[in-house]
Amino acid sequence: MALRRLGHDVTVVDPHLGRSVPLIPERLIDAWCFRTGAIGIEWLVARYVAKQIGNATFDVAFVDHGDLLNASCIAHLKTIAKVVVNYNQDNPYVPRDKGRWRVFLTALPLYDLIATHRVTSANSAARAGAKRVLLTREAADEAVHRPIELSSEDLARFSSKVAFVGTWMPERGPIMLRLIERGVPLRIYGPRWQKAPEYEQLRSHVVLGELKGDDYVKAIRGASIAIGLLSKGNEDLHTTRSFEIPAIGTLFCAERTSDHLEMYKDGEEAVFFDTVDECADLCLSLLKHPDRIKEIADAGLKRVHKNGDFNEKLVMKIINGALKG
């Protein structure tokens, strides 16, 4: 959508639609692809992508993630596009996701450009044979992440003092539990939280399921403070939440990293913490001063727009970098 807003003609091909196998449930295919990197299925995906493209040609083939596209698929894209680029928000170079990135890593040397937002990933991509690597930031979206007005129905559903929106990961359960133990009025939105060992203690605070579209925006907008956590297994120093939360107009409370300190003034445009107890102290203190929460949230909104951390700027940086290469 960002590319279309910039005036480009865009053809979208979703490779996930080409991995179906008759009589095998989709959830099993999902698990197989995640654990093995689509062993035995990757050729189906390559065939599907080629069929969807047909005889069309393009200036740029922009691959998002690329976990299902093998070397033969990328080789085919290179015959119908001037350049083939990959933008990956995950980290294919660490063991967190098991075998998910098997085919991506074999195809990596064929890409004309690999774009990533981590220095560690950029270095790993170069060692893995990348021709060129572009270091970027992640981004919010101009059209999606904005300070929308909530209706009375929205407020009844999404109003909260402190919110965390995200998928359960093993390290996150203890953090959420400690915040609750400290008295933080917390609401948790996201999938897989029923898998947490702490779930019985968290249950009354959890709204299960993935939030999409405006529901995601409303859950953050409806909170006085929104917490941002990083994936240690992914070596994250920032995520899309680092831009989406301030862009939505909610106070961003996140882990203190070099990236975050470069993006926002701590205590003025966002608030950062080193430990879960420091996070609890910040939340409990700020909730006593609603005017201060609004001041920081407003300043964060201005800063994210000043920094320009949005999709249109991001995709053009990647495309221009590829075409100039």
Side-chain angles (χ1 to χ4, degrees), residues 65 86-88 90-94 104-136 235:
H65 281 69
N86 179 282
Y87 174 55
N88 198 324
D90 279 301
N91 192 340
Y93 316 102
V94 295
F104 167 78
L105 292 171
T106 62
L108 181 145
L110 295 178
Y111 285 98
D112 296 296
L113 180 72
I114 299 290
T116 178
H117 68 277
R118 293 180 203 83
V119 172
T120 57
S121 293
N123 293 336
S124 295
R127 289 193 296 269
K131 293 178 182 177
R132 293 179 56 228
V133 181
L134 178 67
L135 190 62
T136 68
E235 301 178 343

Side-chain angles (χ1 to χ4, degrees), residues 44-101:
L44 288 172
V45 176
R47 186 178 68 176
Y48 175 81
V49 171
K51 182 178 179 181
Q52 293 302 305
I53 293 171
N55 296 321
T57 59
F58 303 90
D59 294 314
V60 178
F62 191 114
V63 177
D64 181 7
H65 281 69
D67 53 332
L68 296 178
L69 303 189
N70 62 13
S72 66
C73 187
I74 303 306
H76 176 67
L77 292 180
K78 289 174 72 69
T79 68
I80 54 93
K82 295 177 182 177
V83 292
V84 182
V85 303
N86 179 282
Y87 174 55
N88 198 324
Q89 295 170 299
D90 279 301
N91 192 340
Y93 316 102
V94 295
R96 189 195 74 167
D97 292 340
K98 301 180 174 63
R100 178 185 178 189
W101 301 107

